[in-house]
Amino acid sequence: LIRWVKEGERRLLFCGVGLLFLKNTRMFRSLSRILRIGEETEPTSDSKKHSDAEEEHEFELPCPVPEIFTLTEQEDQRFREKLASNAKAAEGKEKTVEQEEHAFRKVIEEELAYAAQDHKDDKIFLASSRIQKLRQFIRTHKSEKSTVAKSCSPLAILQKMMDSNPIFKEIIAESERARKFLRKLELEEGWEVSHRGKKISSFWKEEKDSETYSFKVMGVVGNPMLNLIPLLLETDLYPNWFPMMASAEEVFSGSRFHKVVKSTMKMPFPLRIRECIIDGKGYDVMEHNRVVISSHSISEHPKVNIGKCPEDRVRVDISVGGFELIPVGNKRTHVTVMFNLNPHIPYLPSRIANFFLRHVVNQIHSSMEKHSTFKKDSPYLQCMAEKADLYNYIESRYEETRKSRKSGTFGK
């Protein structure tokens, strides 16, 4: 039976050709309207309240998260004031060596403590930027006249403190992980347009020298970002809204925004069920006006017994993927979804992959909008009530950054 199923997967090519033929027939178009295949769902009653002017309003996405954070004059001055204050506090020490070393050590300790707290709050880029800017300041100050010996230079002190605490290695590793996702997301070369509509645009790419495919869907969801976050946080409820997902089980929770999830995807006959063990983490990047969820598949984990894939399933490999949420005013959210994966389907023509993208993945945005318009019996409202502390923190963080942006005091 298993051999027959495996051979059946090779028939996907012929099934795909038949589907592409039917796609251009009147029968398929009529069936599409009935089953809503490949069509965006009707807007919800709440989204209909938006005026036509708001729906057609053009907005500019914020600048990408910079690869290198540059030390500003204001920040440089802040570091110098701290140095002077710390040096003054060490008046009893020899001014030429010990006083300067003490002043630098205090500045480094304070900034690394801030970075560790940012990491704890899942503000990964804020933590990374603190370390980068601290290095820049030390190098700038080092080029000036300094009496500190090389053996106890500020850079040596910084490196020693970072090596002694594994948190700072985690900051570097996680910031690189999030950047890997954003680089793939923001890269415009090589993408082919699959669909371009009023609300969403989708793209796909067959990666060279690999068996992986990439897809990207971007568009506006007619609900606030705070309504979308529960959909992404409550992983057990993913089958409610994510197309073709049959099950999702949280098998490990590293922190409030870090989860390992075992999920399965329903596939059309004769393909077997696809299974994936996903390690996902959410990042607060509100200093750059966005929330980022980065994920990838794993085959092993120190705290999870993953085991072998059952014979009636095929395990999918996801190299990188995730979501980017950017608030658009107070009522809408720009959502980008991107995944690079190997579905382990033999002889998958690019036309079939494009067909799958257009008629399945394109449903993500409309499904998110439908399920983020909470009704009284919504399971998400129950989850939010049970985890009131978590969702109150998210709301207060969102409102805090929103108000500080309006007043022009954000980041100061």
Side-chain angles (χ1 to χ4, degrees):
L1 177 62
I2 293 173
R3 191 184 308 115
W4 181 85
V5 172
K6 287 182 177 178
E7 290 176 355
E9 291 195 350
R10 295 187 177 89
R11 300 191 186 98
L12 177 65
L13 172 62
F14 302 102
C15 296
V17 171
L19 287 173
L20 289 173
F21 174 77
L22 287 173
K23 178 177 181 291
N24 297 316
T25 66
R26 181 177 300 177
M27 179 185 69
F28 185 85
R29 289 195 295 270
S30 300
L31 191 62
S32 296
R33 285 192 293 270
I34 296 172
L35 300 180
R36 298 185 183 277
I37 298 177
E39 301 291 337
E40 298 175 6
T41 58
E42 291 296 322
T44 62
S45 58
D46 286 350
S47 63
K48 286 180 179 179
K49 294 178 182 178
H50 299 312
S51 64
D52 293 339
E54 183 182 4
E55 288 294 334
E56 297 176 0
H57 174 65
E58 295 292 336
F59 64 94
E60 292 186 5
L61 293 175
C63 296
V65 179
E67 287 282 338
I68 299 176
F69 297 98
T70 305
L71 184 71
T72 64
E73 292 184 6
Q74 183 181 5
E75 289 165 335
D76 182 81
Q77 182 62 31
R78 179 173 62 86
F79 278 129
R80 291 180 183 275
E81 290 174 358
K82 284 186 178 182
L83 273 180
S85 175
N86 292 335
K88 187 176 180 181
E91 289 180 353
K93 302 183 183 294
E94 186 181 343
K95 293 185 178 181
T96 57
V97 179
E98 293 185 12
Q99 183 176 340
E100 186 176 357
E101 180 185 342
H102 172 80
F104 263 111
R105 187 179 293 275
K106 293 294 288 183
V107 170
I108 293 170
E109 286 177 351
E110 184 177 341
E111 285 302 305
L112 290 184
Y114 283 135
Q117 184 60 46
D118 290 336
H119 173 262
K120 184 179 179 180
D121 293 337
D122 300 288
K123 304 171 186 175
I124 190 62
F125 289 116
L126 194 56
S128 176
S129 69
R130 287 188 188 278
I131 295 175
Q132 283 190 28
K133 291 176 180 179
L134 183 58
R135 287 185 186 276
Q136 291 174 29
F137 172 73
I138 291 174
R139 290 194 180 101
T140 303
H141 193 274
K142 185 180 178 182
S143 64
E144 301 171 1
K145 185 177 179 180
S146 177
T147 59
V148 178
K150 290 184 179 179
S151 60
C152 54
S153 67
L155 279 175
I157 295 172
L158 172 62
Q159 193 60 49
K160 186 176 180 180
M161 288 185 179
M162 290 182 62
D163 291 341
S164 65
N165 193 334
I167 287 179
F168 302 111
K169 294 181 180 179
E170 290 181 20
I171 291 174
I172 295 172
E174 289 183 18
S175 63
E176 181 55 34
R177 166 181 169 172
R179 284 191 186 283
K180 181 182 178 182
F181 167 67
L182 289 177
R183 287 190 199 109
K184 194 83 174 176
L185 192 77
E186 294 160 2
L187 183 66
E188 296 183 358
E189 297 179 0
W191 292 99
E192 295 189 30
V193 177
S194 172
H195 169 77
R196 195 182 295 275
K198 293 181 179 179
K199 286 191 173 183
I200 64 169
S201 298
S202 57
F203 310 84
W204 73 280
K205 177 167 53 173
E206 185 175 0
E207 304 292 345
K208 295 180 181 179
D209 302 323
S210 74
E211 297 180 347
T212 65
Y213 299 84
S214 295
F215 68 81
K216 177 170 63 173
V217 185
M218 52 198 304
V220 175
V221 174
N223 276 321
M225 187 172 73
L226 290 176
N227 284 39
L228 302 185
I229 289 177
L231 270 65
L232 300 173
L233 270 182
E234 305 303 330
T235 53
D236 292 347
L237 299 177
Y238 267 49
N240 288 1
W241 64 271
F242 200 94
M244 296 180 66
M245 186 169 288
S247 68
E249 176 190 1
E250 181 183 315
V251 294
F252 174 74
S253 179
S255 67
R256 55 187 176 179
F257 302 132
H258 180 202
K259 301 177 186 294
V260 177
V261 179
K262 180 179 180 180
S263 64
T264 59
M265 301 285 288
K266 296 177 292 186
M267 302 297 289
F269 180 83
L271 299 179
R272 285 178 287 171
I273 294 173
R274 261 47 186 178
E275 178 183 277
C276 191
I277 313 298
I278 302 173
D279 186 312
K281 188 153 191 179
Y283 299 105
D284 177 348
V285 199
M286 287 304 294
E287 67 272 14
H288 297 284
N289 199 30
R290 69 196 75 202
V291 167
V292 174
I293 296 92
S294 172
S295 61
H296 62 271
S297 63
I298 56 174
S299 57
E300 57 183 14
H301 192 278
K303 297 184 178 181
V304 179
N305 181 19
I306 294 177
K308 294 183 179 180
C309 182
E311 292 187 357
D312 62 338
R313 301 178 183 181
V314 176
R315 191 161 284 171
V316 174
D317 299 322
I318 297 177
S319 173
V320 61
F323 296 79
E324 181 188 53
L325 276 60
I326 300 175
V328 181
N330 298 326
K331 298 180 180 180
R332 299 187 297 162
T333 309
H334 186 274
V335 178
T336 304
V337 187
M338 193 282 298
F339 282 94
N340 170 247
L341 56 85
N342 181 358
H344 292 286
I345 298 178
Y347 315 117
L348 179 61
S350 58
R351 291 292 298 274
I352 302 298
N354 185 26
F355 178 87
F356 172 81
L357 173 64
R358 292 191 63 183
H359 298 290
V360 177
V361 181
N362 281 2
Q363 300 300 312
I364 290 177
H365 285 67
S366 58
S367 184
M368 290 184 81
E369 181 167 327
K370 175 182 177 181
H371 288 88
S372 61
T373 305
F374 303 134
K375 299 180 181 179
K376 290 183 179 180
D377 58 346
S378 170
Y380 297 100
L381 291 179
Q382 182 179 350
C383 292
M384 292 166 70
E386 293 173 353
K387 304 173 184 177
D389 291 344
L390 172 62
Y391 285 103
N392 287 339
Y393 166 78
I394 294 172
E395 183 176 3
S396 62
R397 169 67 177 158
Y398 175 80
E399 293 297 336
E400 171 194 344
T401 55
R402 180 170 162 267
K403 290 178 181 177
S404 58
R405 282 183 182 282
K406 282 186 175 182
S407 62
T409 60
F410 187 81
K412 295 184 180 179

